[in-house]
Structure formats: C-alpha cells, structure tokens
Amino acid sequence: MTHTQIRIASYNIHKARGVDRRHDPERILQVINGLDADIIVLQEADKRLGQRLPAIQPELIDSETDFRLVDVSANGISLGWHGNAVLVRPGVNVAGVTRLELPGLEPRGALRIDLDIGAGLSVVGTHLGLRRRNRLAQLQTLCDATQDSAHTVIAGDFNEWSERAGLEPLADRFETHSPGRSFHARRPMAALDRFALSAGVEMRDAGVEQGPLAKRASDHLPIWSDISVPHVKATD
C-alpha cells in the first residue's frame, strides 16, 4: 500500500506575546517558517475579548510566509474560531471546514479541516479547557464529530498535565502521542501539546522545537509530527 507523508505542527502562540512580554507577530512567523510543516494548527491566534481581533494580521502571514490562512472565521475579523486557526502550504487542498462547539463552562471550540491527502485526512485543531471534566466531554465531542472520517489527526493544546489520565475518550479510536515537554517555553515542565492519530495514520517522527527563538516567542513551544496517510481507506 502506498502512503503520503506530511508534517503537521501545532503551536499555541499566546496571542503572539512572548515570555519577554513583547507582542511580536514577526517573531512567531519566524518560528513557524522554521518548522518546515505542511499544515500548522494554531491556538490563541486571536485576542480573547471584544471582536476577537487577530494576534497576527493576515497580510503579515501573506508577506512573511508561504502559508495560506484557511478561512475559518465566523465574524470576518478573526484569524480563527475560538482562537483556533489553520495554515497550509500551497498545494494542500482543503476540501471542507467544520467549526465545532465544545461543551464546558468557558467558551471553547475546535476546527475540523478535511484535506485531499491520500484516502482522505481530517485534521482537527483544538484548545481544550482548564477543567478535566470539561476536557473529557470535549474529547468525546471530537470523537463523535470525526466518526465519518477515513483518517483523523487531532492536534493542539490538550491542557492535560497527566501522562496517564484524562484522555480516556480517545482510547478506542486514537493513539495519543506527546512529542515532549512544551510548556512553559522558558523551562518546559509539561507535555500539554499533543497529537492523537486514528487507525491507519502512522507516526514516523515527532518533536518539540526548542530553538532560542521559540523559547522567547510564546509561553508554549511548538510541536511537530511526520505522519503517513494511506491511499486506500481502511476496511472493517
């Protein structure tokens, strides 16, 4: 069976505010350019209050990177949906976009991006809640919302400090991978940022970007994974 290999990255950009408290979108984009990814899901890509203005202006993405911003905004202003945004390289064909509301006391959401890669790939970008009981319900929502997908990758800030608990809704369909400690960027202590891969999607390599620029640009370090997607849909 033939496979297509791609690199997916996830990065909580902390509204482009670094550990030095500077708001520096250009610095974030330099880190993004260095990831050599095909698809990047971002968290905290918009300011939290009011109109949820973008932390990075779209025209800056156009001028400083060769990524394309996937149109997911519901208000025509934000980069993303509940702060979740997606960047793709030229040549990555987006077949569909679904905004997902997640349960919980605080407003949370996720994005499902369907891609014409291999036999089909859905990439879900998300930023889960601060309370575990909410995160469990949110993960179950994501499982339910991807039942029809041939292959799925859930990527983002899972906000789960435990290496063993809190991911139970994924257990039947997904294998969860933590590339390494990604928070706090200045002194990484927790693997909050993760990937979950459904059956048929293979992890070939993964890591955490720990360069000096990434350690200053946000309070999270970006993570990346090289995955392969088969060209034939799995059968029962």
Side-chain angles (χ1 to χ4, degrees):
M1 181 185 296
T2 57
H3 292 71
T4 298
Q5 183 165 309
I6 62 169
R7 174 168 289 190
I8 298 177
S10 175
Y11 193 10
N12 183 329
I13 66 171
H14 193 50
K15 306 175 188 67
R17 187 171 299 278
V19 296
D20 55 6
R21 299 177 181 266
R22 285 174 51 209
H23 178 255
D24 193 339
E26 290 89 348
R27 183 169 55 183
I28 289 289
L29 295 178
Q30 288 181 56
V31 175
I32 285 173
N33 283 333
L35 296 174
D36 196 28
D38 301 291
I39 303 156
I40 302 181
V41 298
L42 303 176
Q43 302 87 49
E44 296 193 26
D46 301 307
K47 297 178 181 179
R48 190 168 181 83
L49 301 176
Q51 294 178 301
R52 296 193 67 99
L53 296 173
I56 303 175
Q57 292 301 316
E59 55 267 26
L60 197 59
I61 297 172
D62 291 339
S63 64
E64 299 297 325
T65 79
D66 62 359
F67 284 99
R68 175 170 60 90
L69 177 67
V70 179
D71 183 9
V72 300
S73 174
N75 62 11
I77 298 172
S78 303
L79 286 185
W81 166 251
H82 287 281
N84 300 290
V86 182
L87 304 175
V88 296
R89 292 278 191 195
V92 176
N93 185 35
V94 177
V97 173
T98 307
R99 304 184 195 100
L100 302 170
E101 292 276 7
L102 298 183
L105 290 178
E106 54 181 333
R108 294 279 173 173
L111 292 169
R112 170 177 164 173
I113 308 297
D114 295 317
L115 304 167
D116 288 334
I117 294 176
L121 176 67
S122 298
V123 175
V124 176
T126 193
H127 187 183
L128 301 182
L130 298 175
R131 299 185 179 190
R132 179 175 287 170
R133 66 173 178 268
N134 290 338
R135 291 196 298 272
L136 292 171
Q138 290 161 4
L139 288 172
Q140 186 60 58
T141 297
L142 296 181
C143 289
D144 295 342
T146 56
Q147 287 284 353
D148 63 331
S149 174
H151 306 98
T152 303
V153 175
I154 301 173
D157 181 353
F158 282 34
N159 255 327
E160 177 55 69
W161 287 70
S162 173
E163 296 181 2
R164 296 176 297 276
L167 304 173
E168 290 83 357
L170 299 176
D172 289 342
R173 286 185 53 220
F174 293 87
E175 183 175 351
T176 304
H177 298 266
S178 168
R181 296 176 181 176
S182 56
F183 181 84
H184 188 278
R186 192 188 297 274
R187 186 178 179 183
M189 299 175 60
L192 300 187
D193 303 279
R194 305 184 187 191
F195 299 104
L197 278 56
S198 71
V201 183
E202 297 180 9
M203 178 75 76
R204 299 297 179 87
D205 198 6
V208 180
E209 170 54 44
Q210 302 184 60
L213 200 62
K215 289 182 178 180
R216 298 195 307 272
S218 170
D219 61 347
H220 283 246
L221 298 170
I223 60 172
W224 57 268
S225 63
D226 292 333
I227 66 164
S228 66
V229 183
H231 285 190
V232 178
K233 184 176 179 180
T235 57
D236 295 332

